[in-house]
Amino acid sequence: MRPKRHRSKAPLPAALVAVALFVLGAPEAQAISFVKPDCADSATNTGCAHPNTVSLSGFRASAPDKPPVAGVSSLLCSGSLLDKTGERIVILSAGHCVSAYLAGLQDGSLVDVGVSFDALIARELPPPFSPASWSPTQYVLGGQPVLPLEYGSESANARSLHFDYAVIVYEIPPGGLVTQGGEPVDLSAIEPVNLPDEGFLDDLVSATDPALVTAVGYGAGQDHRAPGEGGRKGAPNDTSVFGVRFMAGETGLTHFVGPNRSLVFGAQNPARGINGSCGGGSGGPIFYDGFLGEIQVGVTSSGDAICLGSAIAARIDGTEAQEFLNCVLGASETAGIAECGCIEVDKQGACAL
């Protein structure tokens, strides 16, 4: 089932825009700022507002005498269900996540890339695995990452990251999708995200009247309380909530940044009730709530070090993003999707041409 596209650009009054709180950001960051779970009961996946937001992970071999897939690597990201057919599902995520997965598969540090639709990823691995490592039992394995040709970085500055979006494709076997633990994955009630038309954000991003958006994803740590309520400034101080799908709302999109305006800057100010993303959920969807429902307008790309001032998203309504996504959605086979970008990267993590 293909995602719908929406043309309505009329913003809702601020009081009617979806309010939540969320998770993620820069590849280096490791905290979630002022968020709440996406589901009423994360363990049973009930009462979820965003079941089409997924957990992604690269898997590594633990040791030569162990099973080939043993533990989740540190490359934990988020994503969203872009497309589903009888033959495949396509997940949209951040370019820097997909670039890292491709690099890991190439050099052998990763043996697979998995996706999970569960709202709570349980840690089942004993020491010496880290607290942020999971068993692959909740994940569907066999993902093929595909990076857009334009992706790249001009410097170490996150704002110089080019076109930070990409996809991962999973083929559906004859018996249907099944996790590594043998559990069937039923996607019949999960709809792909709705996509924007080209230029959707052009009239919504404003320093004086910013569009308010909701970010969703899985974080690497979290701090429920704002600084004035006793919380620490962006420091992950509660590891018990690792692997939970969170959401954060009312990040204000104020201006475009980066090459070709491919990134959009989100201002956060918890003191004014404007919250947003931080480390651990890179690739998670950024939703704008309009008259026709939630529309994914970007993916989380980066955030500031203390998770209080900014969150940068890669916009998916730009010309290059629209061409890439249209190519992906129009391809009938995985091989066709791979031709929309690349499946090999160079030492800098960009497409190896």
PDB file of all heavy atoms in Angstrom, residues 128-164:
ATOM      1  N   PRO A 128      28.644 -10.165  28.681  1.00  0.00           N
ATOM      2  CA  PRO A 128      29.286  -8.853  28.667  1.00  0.00           C
ATOM      3  C   PRO A 128      28.680  -7.857  27.686  1.00  0.00           C
ATOM      4  O   PRO A 128      29.290  -6.837  27.420  1.00  0.00           O
ATOM      5  CB  PRO A 128      30.711  -9.217  28.241  1.00  0.00           C
ATOM      6  CG  PRO A 128      30.508 -10.353  27.292  1.00  0.00           C
ATOM      7  CD  PRO A 128      29.376 -11.152  27.870  1.00  0.00           C
ATOM      8  N   PHE A 129      27.504  -8.157  27.137  1.00  0.00           N
ATOM      9  CA  PHE A 129      26.902  -7.203  26.220  1.00  0.00           C
ATOM     10  C   PHE A 129      26.487  -5.957  26.972  1.00  0.00           C
ATOM     11  O   PHE A 129      26.098  -6.005  28.138  1.00  0.00           O
ATOM     12  CB  PHE A 129      25.690  -7.829  25.524  1.00  0.00           C
ATOM     13  CG  PHE A 129      26.032  -8.988  24.649  1.00  0.00           C
ATOM     14  CD1 PHE A 129      25.755 -10.281  25.043  1.00  0.00           C
ATOM     15  CD2 PHE A 129      26.659  -8.779  23.432  1.00  0.00           C
ATOM     16  CE1 PHE A 129      26.075 -11.349  24.239  1.00  0.00           C
ATOM     17  CE2 PHE A 129      26.980  -9.840  22.615  1.00  0.00           C
ATOM     18  CZ  PHE A 129      26.693 -11.139  23.028  1.00  0.00           C
ATOM     19  N   SER A 130      26.545  -4.827  26.303  1.00  0.00           N
ATOM     20  CA  SER A 130      26.249  -3.559  26.953  1.00  0.00           C
ATOM     21  C   SER A 130      24.758  -3.433  27.236  1.00  0.00           C
ATOM     22  O   SER A 130      23.936  -4.140  26.646  1.00  0.00           O
ATOM     23  CB  SER A 130      26.698  -2.403  26.052  1.00  0.00           C
ATOM     24  OG  SER A 130      25.778  -2.217  24.999  1.00  0.00           O
ATOM     25  N   PRO A 131      24.356  -2.515  28.129  1.00  0.00           N
ATOM     26  CA  PRO A 131      22.932  -2.309  28.410  1.00  0.00           C
ATOM     27  C   PRO A 131      22.140  -1.855  27.195  1.00  0.00           C
ATOM     28  O   PRO A 131      20.920  -1.914  27.204  1.00  0.00           O
ATOM     29  CB  PRO A 131      22.951  -1.225  29.496  1.00  0.00           C
ATOM     30  CG  PRO A 131      24.291  -1.332  30.120  1.00  0.00           C
ATOM     31  CD  PRO A 131      25.216  -1.723  29.011  1.00  0.00           C
ATOM     32  N   ALA A 132      22.819  -1.386  26.159  1.00  0.00           N
ATOM     33  CA  ALA A 132      22.128  -0.930  24.953  1.00  0.00           C
ATOM     34  C   ALA A 132      22.157  -1.989  23.852  1.00  0.00           C
ATOM     35  O   ALA A 132      21.956  -1.688  22.689  1.00  0.00           O
ATOM     36  CB  ALA A 132      22.757   0.356  24.438  1.00  0.00           C
ATOM     37  N   SER A 133      22.420  -3.247  24.214  1.00  0.00           N
ATOM     38  CA  SER A 133      22.436  -4.329  23.232  1.00  0.00           C
ATOM     39  C   SER A 133      21.214  -5.209  23.422  1.00  0.00           C
ATOM     40  O   SER A 133      20.817  -5.527  24.536  1.00  0.00           O
ATOM     41  CB  SER A 133      23.706  -5.184  23.386  1.00  0.00           C
ATOM     42  OG  SER A 133      24.848  -4.461  23.001  1.00  0.00           O
ATOM     43  N   TRP A 134      20.625  -5.606  22.299  1.00  0.00           N
ATOM     44  CA  TRP A 134      19.430  -6.423  22.330  1.00  0.00           C
ATOM     45  C   TRP A 134      19.629  -7.711  21.539  1.00  0.00           C
ATOM     46  O   TRP A 134      20.426  -7.770  20.611  1.00  0.00           O
ATOM     47  CB  TRP A 134      18.244  -5.676  21.724  1.00  0.00           C
ATOM     48  CG  TRP A 134      17.711  -4.582  22.582  1.00  0.00           C
ATOM     49  CD1 TRP A 134      16.714  -4.667  23.507  1.00  0.00           C
ATOM     50  CD2 TRP A 134      18.134  -3.223  22.592  1.00  0.00           C
ATOM     51  NE1 TRP A 134      16.511  -3.456  24.098  1.00  0.00           N
ATOM     52  CE2 TRP A 134      17.361  -2.545  23.562  1.00  0.00           C
ATOM     53  CE3 TRP A 134      19.112  -2.514  21.888  1.00  0.00           C
ATOM     54  CZ2 TRP A 134      17.518  -1.202  23.828  1.00  0.00           C
ATOM     55  CZ3 TRP A 134      19.272  -1.172  22.174  1.00  0.00           C
ATOM     56  CH2 TRP A 134      18.478  -0.522  23.128  1.00  0.00           C
ATOM     57  N   SER A 135      18.829  -8.696  21.878  1.00  0.00           N
ATOM     58  CA  SER A 135      18.750  -9.907  21.074  1.00  0.00           C
ATOM     59  C   SER A 135      18.021  -9.581  19.776  1.00  0.00           C
ATOM     60  O   SER A 135      17.160  -8.693  19.743  1.00  0.00           O
ATOM     61  CB  SER A 135      17.972 -10.980  21.846  1.00  0.00           C
ATOM     62  OG  SER A 135      17.484 -11.967  20.972  1.00  0.00           O
ATOM     63  N   PRO A 136      18.309 -10.283  18.684  1.00  0.00           N
ATOM     64  CA  PRO A 136      17.597 -10.028  17.433  1.00  0.00           C
ATOM     65  C   PRO A 136      16.213 -10.664  17.365  1.00  0.00           C
ATOM     66  O   PRO A 136      15.547 -10.564  16.341  1.00  0.00           O
ATOM     67  CB  PRO A 136      18.523 -10.665  16.383  1.00  0.00           C
ATOM     68  CG  PRO A 136      19.173 -11.792  17.123  1.00  0.00           C
ATOM     69  CD  PRO A 136      19.381 -11.276  18.523  1.00  0.00           C
ATOM     70  N   THR A 137      15.744 -11.285  18.447  1.00  0.00           N
ATOM     71  CA  THR A 137      14.506 -12.053  18.364  1.00  0.00           C
ATOM     72  C   THR A 137      13.291 -11.207  18.001  1.00  0.00           C
ATOM     73  O   THR A 137      12.321 -11.727  17.443  1.00  0.00           O
ATOM     74  CB  THR A 137      14.228 -12.774  19.697  1.00  0.00           C
ATOM     75  OG1 THR A 137      14.225 -11.811  20.761  1.00  0.00           O
ATOM     76  CG2 THR A 137      15.304 -13.818  19.978  1.00  0.00           C
ATOM     77  N   GLN A 138      13.297  -9.912  18.287  1.00  0.00           N
ATOM     78  CA  GLN A 138      12.153  -9.062  17.973  1.00  0.00           C
ATOM     79  C   GLN A 138      12.251  -8.414  16.586  1.00  0.00           C
ATOM     80  O   GLN A 138      11.361  -7.670  16.201  1.00  0.00           O
ATOM     81  CB  GLN A 138      12.006  -7.962  19.027  1.00  0.00           C
ATOM     82  CG  GLN A 138      11.558  -8.464  20.389  1.00  0.00           C
ATOM     83  CD  GLN A 138      11.437  -7.340  21.395  1.00  0.00           C
ATOM     84  OE1 GLN A 138      12.328  -7.117  22.197  1.00  0.00           O
ATOM     85  NE2 GLN A 138      10.327  -6.640  21.367  1.00  0.00           N
ATOM     86  N   TYR A 139      13.333  -8.704  15.890  1.00  0.00           N
ATOM     87  CA  TYR A 139      13.580  -8.036  14.616  1.00  0.00           C
ATOM     88  C   TYR A 139      13.391  -8.973  13.420  1.00  0.00           C
ATOM     89  O   TYR A 139      13.725 -10.154  13.481  1.00  0.00           O
ATOM     90  CB  TYR A 139      15.010  -7.482  14.572  1.00  0.00           C
ATOM     91  CG  TYR A 139      15.237  -6.305  15.477  1.00  0.00           C
ATOM     92  CD1 TYR A 139      15.491  -6.498  16.835  1.00  0.00           C
ATOM     93  CD2 TYR A 139      15.201  -5.006  15.001  1.00  0.00           C
ATOM     94  CE1 TYR A 139      15.711  -5.423  17.684  1.00  0.00           C
ATOM     95  CE2 TYR A 139      15.421  -3.926  15.838  1.00  0.00           C
ATOM     96  CZ  TYR A 139      15.671  -4.148  17.181  1.00  0.00           C
ATOM     97  OH  TYR A 139      15.884  -3.070  18.021  1.00  0.00           O
ATOM     98  N   VAL A 140      12.863  -8.407  12.337  1.00  0.00           N
ATOM     99  CA  VAL A 140      12.889  -9.055  11.026  1.00  0.00           C
ATOM    100  C   VAL A 140      14.237  -8.733  10.390  1.00  0.00           C
ATOM    101  O   VAL A 140      14.603  -7.558  10.277  1.00  0.00           O
ATOM    102  CB  VAL A 140      11.752  -8.546  10.123  1.00  0.00           C
ATOM    103  CG1 VAL A 140      11.853  -9.165   8.729  1.00  0.00           C
ATOM    104  CG2 VAL A 140      10.393  -8.850  10.745  1.00  0.00           C
ATOM    105  N   LEU A 141      14.975  -9.746   9.991  1.00  0.00           N
ATOM    106  CA  LEU A 141      16.311  -9.535   9.449  1.00  0.00           C
ATOM    107  C   LEU A 141      16.298  -9.529   7.921  1.00  0.00           C
ATOM    108  O   LEU A 141      15.278  -9.773   7.292  1.00  0.00           O
ATOM    109  CB  LEU A 141      17.262 -10.613   9.970  1.00  0.00           C
ATOM    110  CG  LEU A 141      17.388 -10.703  11.499  1.00  0.00           C
ATOM    111  CD1 LEU A 141      18.398 -11.786  11.887  1.00  0.00           C
ATOM    112  CD2 LEU A 141      17.785  -9.372  12.106  1.00  0.00           C
ATOM    113  N   GLY A 142      17.453  -9.262   7.341  1.00  0.00           N
ATOM    114  CA  GLY A 142      17.580  -9.320   5.887  1.00  0.00           C
ATOM    115  C   GLY A 142      17.370  -8.004   5.181  1.00  0.00           C
ATOM    116  O   GLY A 142      17.032  -7.982   3.994  1.00  0.00           O
ATOM    117  N   GLY A 143      17.577  -6.887   5.863  1.00  0.00           N
ATOM    118  CA  GLY A 143      17.360  -5.590   5.230  1.00  0.00           C
ATOM    119  C   GLY A 143      18.436  -5.230   4.225  1.00  0.00           C
ATOM    120  O   GLY A 143      19.616  -5.500   4.432  1.00  0.00           O
ATOM    121  N   GLN A 144      18.014  -4.600   3.118  1.00  0.00           N
ATOM    122  CA  GLN A 144      18.944  -4.083   2.112  1.00  0.00           C
ATOM    123  C   GLN A 144      18.923  -2.564   2.165  1.00  0.00           C
ATOM    124  O   GLN A 144      17.975  -1.917   1.717  1.00  0.00           O
ATOM    125  CB  GLN A 144      18.564  -4.557   0.713  1.00  0.00           C
ATOM    126  CG  GLN A 144      19.400  -3.928  -0.405  1.00  0.00           C
ATOM    127  CD  GLN A 144      20.883  -4.192  -0.256  1.00  0.00           C
ATOM    128  OE1 GLN A 144      21.324  -5.333  -0.350  1.00  0.00           O
ATOM    129  NE2 GLN A 144      21.680  -3.151  -0.015  1.00  0.00           N
ATOM    130  N   PRO A 145      19.960  -1.936   2.735  1.00  0.00           N
ATOM    131  CA  PRO A 145      20.004  -0.477   2.795  1.00  0.00           C
ATOM    132  C   PRO A 145      20.286   0.128   1.415  1.00  0.00           C
ATOM    133  O   PRO A 145      21.078  -0.410   0.644  1.00  0.00           O
ATOM    134  CB  PRO A 145      21.171  -0.200   3.756  1.00  0.00           C
ATOM    135  CG  PRO A 145      21.451  -1.509   4.439  1.00  0.00           C
ATOM    136  CD  PRO A 145      21.084  -2.559   3.452  1.00  0.00           C
ATOM    137  N   VAL A 146      19.635   1.240   1.137  1.00  0.00           N
ATOM    138  CA  VAL A 146      19.846   1.963  -0.124  1.00  0.00           C
ATOM    139  C   VAL A 146      20.000   3.447   0.197  1.00  0.00           C
ATOM    140  O   VAL A 146      19.114   4.062   0.808  1.00  0.00           O
ATOM    141  CB  VAL A 146      18.681   1.765  -1.107  1.00  0.00           C
ATOM    142  CG1 VAL A 146      18.965   2.496  -2.423  1.00  0.00           C
ATOM    143  CG2 VAL A 146      18.423   0.284  -1.363  1.00  0.00           C
ATOM    144  N   LEU A 147      21.119   4.018  -0.213  1.00  0.00           N
ATOM    145  CA  LEU A 147      21.463   5.402   0.078  1.00  0.00           C
ATOM    146  C   LEU A 147      21.263   6.262  -1.169  1.00  0.00           C
ATOM    147  O   LEU A 147      21.618   5.845  -2.271  1.00  0.00           O
ATOM    148  CB  LEU A 147      22.923   5.463   0.516  1.00  0.00           C
ATOM    149  CG  LEU A 147      23.455   6.708   1.219  1.00  0.00           C
ATOM    150  CD1 LEU A 147      22.789   6.867   2.585  1.00  0.00           C
ATOM    151  CD2 LEU A 147      24.965   6.595   1.382  1.00  0.00           C
ATOM    152  N   PRO A 148      20.693   7.463  -1.045  1.00  0.00           N
ATOM    153  CA  PRO A 148      20.575   8.332  -2.222  1.00  0.00           C
ATOM    154  C   PRO A 148      21.946   8.812  -2.682  1.00  0.00           C
ATOM    155  O   PRO A 148      22.858   9.005  -1.874  1.00  0.00           O
ATOM    156  CB  PRO A 148      19.710   9.491  -1.732  1.00  0.00           C
ATOM    157  CG  PRO A 148      19.935   9.533  -0.266  1.00  0.00           C
ATOM    158  CD  PRO A 148      20.126   8.107   0.165  1.00  0.00           C
ATOM    159  N   LEU A 149      22.088   9.019  -3.971  1.00  0.00           N
ATOM    160  CA  LEU A 149      23.373   9.419  -4.523  1.00  0.00           C
ATOM    161  C   LEU A 149      23.856  10.752  -3.976  1.00  0.00           C
ATOM    162  O   LEU A 149      25.053  11.000  -3.882  1.00  0.00           O
ATOM    163  CB  LEU A 149      23.281   9.494  -6.051  1.00  0.00           C
ATOM    164  CG  LEU A 149      23.005   8.178  -6.787  1.00  0.00           C
ATOM    165  CD1 LEU A 149      22.796   8.449  -8.268  1.00  0.00           C
ATOM    166  CD2 LEU A 149      24.143   7.193  -6.577  1.00  0.00           C
ATOM    167  N   GLU A 150      22.925  11.617  -3.591  1.00  0.00           N
ATOM    168  CA  GLU A 150      23.306  12.966  -3.152  1.00  0.00           C
ATOM    169  C   GLU A 150      23.861  12.998  -1.738  1.00  0.00           C
ATOM    170  O   GLU A 150      24.481  13.987  -1.330  1.00  0.00           O
ATOM    171  CB  GLU A 150      22.081  13.898  -3.206  1.00  0.00           C
ATOM    172  CG  GLU A 150      21.544  14.156  -4.589  1.00  0.00           C
ATOM    173  CD  GLU A 150      20.538  13.094  -5.021  1.00  0.00           C
ATOM    174  OE1 GLU A 150      20.274  12.160  -4.212  1.00  0.00           O
ATOM    175  OE2 GLU A 150      20.018  13.186  -6.137  1.00  0.00           O
ATOM    176  N   TYR A 151      23.628  11.946  -0.947  1.00  0.00           N
ATOM    177  CA  TYR A 151      24.028  11.979   0.459  1.00  0.00           C
ATOM    178  C   TYR A 151      25.535  12.171   0.602  1.00  0.00           C
ATOM    179  O   TYR A 151      26.323  11.595  -0.142  1.00  0.00           O
ATOM    180  CB  TYR A 151      23.631  10.678   1.165  1.00  0.00           C
ATOM    181  CG  TYR A 151      24.213  10.570   2.562  1.00  0.00           C
ATOM    182  CD1 TYR A 151      23.605  11.211   3.630  1.00  0.00           C
ATOM    183  CD2 TYR A 151      25.388   9.865   2.793  1.00  0.00           C
ATOM    184  CE1 TYR A 151      24.147  11.149   4.906  1.00  0.00           C
ATOM    185  CE2 TYR A 151      25.939   9.789   4.066  1.00  0.00           C
ATOM    186  CZ  TYR A 151      25.310  10.429   5.119  1.00  0.00           C
ATOM    187  OH  TYR A 151      25.856  10.362   6.368  1.00  0.00           O
ATOM    188  N   GLY A 152      25.919  12.975   1.585  1.00  0.00           N
ATOM    189  CA  GLY A 152      27.336  13.169   1.853  1.00  0.00           C
ATOM    190  C   GLY A 152      27.525  14.233   2.899  1.00  0.00           C
ATOM    191  O   GLY A 152      26.582  14.870   3.352  1.00  0.00           O
ATOM    192  N   SER A 153      28.756  14.431   3.304  1.00  0.00           N
ATOM    193  CA  SER A 153      29.063  15.413   4.332  1.00  0.00           C
ATOM    194  C   SER A 153      30.190  16.313   3.872  1.00  0.00           C
ATOM    195  O   SER A 153      31.200  15.833   3.341  1.00  0.00           O
ATOM    196  CB  SER A 153      29.470  14.711   5.631  1.00  0.00           C
ATOM    197  OG  SER A 153      29.807  15.654   6.625  1.00  0.00           O
ATOM    198  N   GLU A 154      30.023  17.609   4.070  1.00  0.00           N
ATOM    199  CA  GLU A 154      31.075  18.558   3.716  1.00  0.00           C
ATOM    200  C   GLU A 154      32.072  18.723   4.850  1.00  0.00           C
ATOM    201  O   GLU A 154      33.201  19.119   4.637  1.00  0.00           O
ATOM    202  CB  GLU A 154      30.455  19.918   3.383  1.00  0.00           C
ATOM    203  CG  GLU A 154      29.666  19.913   2.076  1.00  0.00           C
ATOM    204  CD  GLU A 154      29.150  21.297   1.744  1.00  0.00           C
ATOM    205  OE1 GLU A 154      29.050  22.125   2.666  1.00  0.00           O
ATOM    206  OE2 GLU A 154      28.861  21.557   0.573  1.00  0.00           O
ATOM    207  N   SER A 155      31.644  18.418   6.081  1.00  0.00           N
ATOM    208  CA  SER A 155      32.532  18.570   7.237  1.00  0.00           C
ATOM    209  C   SER A 155      31.941  17.782   8.386  1.00  0.00           C
ATOM    210  O   SER A 155      30.933  17.091   8.239  1.00  0.00           O
ATOM    211  CB  SER A 155      32.651  20.042   7.614  1.00  0.00           C
ATOM    212  OG  SER A 155      31.428  20.514   8.160  1.00  0.00           O
ATOM    213  N   ALA A 156      32.576  17.892   9.541  1.00  0.00           N
ATOM    214  CA  ALA A 156      32.066  17.203  10.725  1.00  0.00           C
ATOM    215  C   ALA A 156      30.826  17.887  11.286  1.00  0.00           C
ATOM    216  O   ALA A 156      30.139  17.338  12.140  1.00  0.00           O
ATOM    217  CB  ALA A 156      33.150  17.139  11.796  1.00  0.00           C
ATOM    218  N   ASN A 157      30.537  19.092  10.839  1.00  0.00           N
ATOM    219  CA  ASN A 157      29.371  19.834  11.292  1.00  0.00           C
ATOM    220  C   ASN A 157      28.102  19.186  10.749  1.00  0.00           C
ATOM    221  O   ASN A 157      27.955  18.996   9.553  1.00  0.00           O
ATOM    222  CB  ASN A 157      29.465  21.288  10.792  1.00  0.00           C
ATOM    223  CG  ASN A 157      28.367  22.156  11.397  1.00  0.00           C
ATOM    224  OD1 ASN A 157      27.341  21.660  11.846  1.00  0.00           O
ATOM    225  ND2 ASN A 157      28.602  23.460  11.398  1.00  0.00           N
ATOM    226  N   ALA A 158      27.170  18.841  11.644  1.00  0.00           N
ATOM    227  CA  ALA A 158      25.944  18.168  11.216  1.00  0.00           C
ATOM    228  C   ALA A 158      25.143  19.010  10.231  1.00  0.00           C
ATOM    229  O   ALA A 158      24.436  18.473   9.380  1.00  0.00           O
ATOM    230  CB  ALA A 158      25.081  17.830  12.433  1.00  0.00           C
ATOM    231  N   ARG A 159      25.277  20.331  10.326  1.00  0.00           N
ATOM    232  CA  ARG A 159      24.504  21.181   9.420  1.00  0.00           C
ATOM    233  C   ARG A 159      25.052  21.132   8.001  1.00  0.00           C
ATOM    234  O   ARG A 159      24.439  21.659   7.084  1.00  0.00           O
ATOM    235  CB  ARG A 159      24.516  22.621   9.932  1.00  0.00           C
ATOM    236  CG  ARG A 159      23.853  22.782  11.286  1.00  0.00           C
ATOM    237  CD  ARG A 159      23.665  24.253  11.604  1.00  0.00           C
ATOM    238  NE  ARG A 159      23.388  24.444  13.022  1.00  0.00           N
ATOM    239  CZ  ARG A 159      23.098  25.612  13.558  1.00  0.00           C
ATOM    240  NH1 ARG A 159      23.058  26.690  12.804  1.00  0.00           N
ATOM    241  NH2 ARG A 159      22.855  25.722  14.841  1.00  0.00           N
ATOM    242  N   SER A 160      26.214  20.528   7.814  1.00  0.00           N
ATOM    243  CA  SER A 160      26.771  20.399   6.476  1.00  0.00           C
ATOM    244  C   SER A 160      26.449  19.050   5.841  1.00  0.00           C
ATOM    245  O   SER A 160      26.940  18.723   4.773  1.00  0.00           O
ATOM    246  CB  SER A 160      28.300  20.571   6.518  1.00  0.00           C
ATOM    247  OG  SER A 160      28.624  21.874   6.946  1.00  0.00           O
ATOM    248  N   LEU A 161      25.624  18.255   6.518  1.00  0.00           N
ATOM    249  CA  LEU A 161      25.268  16.940   6.006  1.00  0.00           C
ATOM    250  C   LEU A 161      24.285  17.090   4.850  1.00  0.00           C
ATOM    251  O   LEU A 161      23.269  17.761   4.958  1.00  0.00           O
ATOM    252  CB  LEU A 161      24.632  16.116   7.123  1.00  0.00           C
ATOM    253  CG  LEU A 161      24.617  14.609   6.971  1.00  0.00           C
ATOM    254  CD1 LEU A 161      26.026  14.059   6.903  1.00  0.00           C
ATOM    255  CD2 LEU A 161      23.878  13.990   8.155  1.00  0.00           C
ATOM    256  N   HIS A 162      24.614  16.447   3.733  1.00  0.00           N
ATOM    257  CA  HIS A 162      23.752  16.516   2.567  1.00  0.00           C
ATOM    258  C   HIS A 162      22.608  15.507   2.667  1.00  0.00           C
ATOM    259  O   HIS A 162      22.838  14.357   3.012  1.00  0.00           O
ATOM    260  CB  HIS A 162      24.530  16.156   1.292  1.00  0.00           C
ATOM    261  CG  HIS A 162      25.558  17.134   0.885  1.00  0.00           C
ATOM    262  ND1 HIS A 162      25.314  18.119  -0.037  1.00  0.00           N
ATOM    263  CD2 HIS A 162      26.852  17.275   1.251  1.00  0.00           C
ATOM    264  CE1 HIS A 162      26.423  18.813  -0.229  1.00  0.00           C
ATOM    265  NE2 HIS A 162      27.364  18.325   0.547  1.00  0.00           N
ATOM    266  N   PHE A 163      21.389  15.896   2.391  1.00  0.00           N
ATOM    267  CA  PHE A 163      20.284  15.007   2.057  1.00  0.00           C
ATOM    268  C   PHE A 163      20.283  13.747   2.926  1.00  0.00           C
ATOM    269  O   PHE A 163      20.461  12.625   2.456  1.00  0.00           O
ATOM    270  CB  PHE A 163      20.348  14.658   0.571  1.00  0.00           C
ATOM    271  CG  PHE A 163      20.548  15.876  -0.297  1.00  0.00           C
ATOM    272  CD1 PHE A 163      21.771  16.141  -0.890  1.00  0.00           C
ATOM    273  CD2 PHE A 163      19.523  16.788  -0.471  1.00  0.00           C
ATOM    274  CE1 PHE A 163      21.967  17.274  -1.668  1.00  0.00           C
ATOM    275  CE2 PHE A 163      19.704  17.933  -1.247  1.00  0.00           C
ATOM    276  CZ  PHE A 163      20.925  18.182  -1.841  1.00  0.00           C
ATOM    277  N   ASP A 164      20.018  13.944   4.220  1.00  0.00           N
ATOM    278  CA  ASP A 164      20.191  12.886   5.215  1.00  0.00           C
ATOM    279  C   ASP A 164      18.945  12.006   5.337  1.00  0.00           C
ATOM    280  O   ASP A 164      18.306  11.944   6.391  1.00  0.00           O
ATOM    281  CB  ASP A 164      20.548  13.517   6.565  1.00  0.00           C
ATOM    282  CG  ASP A 164      21.081  12.506   7.555  1.00  0.00           C
ATOM    283  OD1 ASP A 164      21.481  11.409   7.138  1.00  0.00           O
ATOM    284  OD2 ASP A 164      21.107  12.828   8.763  1.00  0.00           O
TER     285      ASP A 164
END
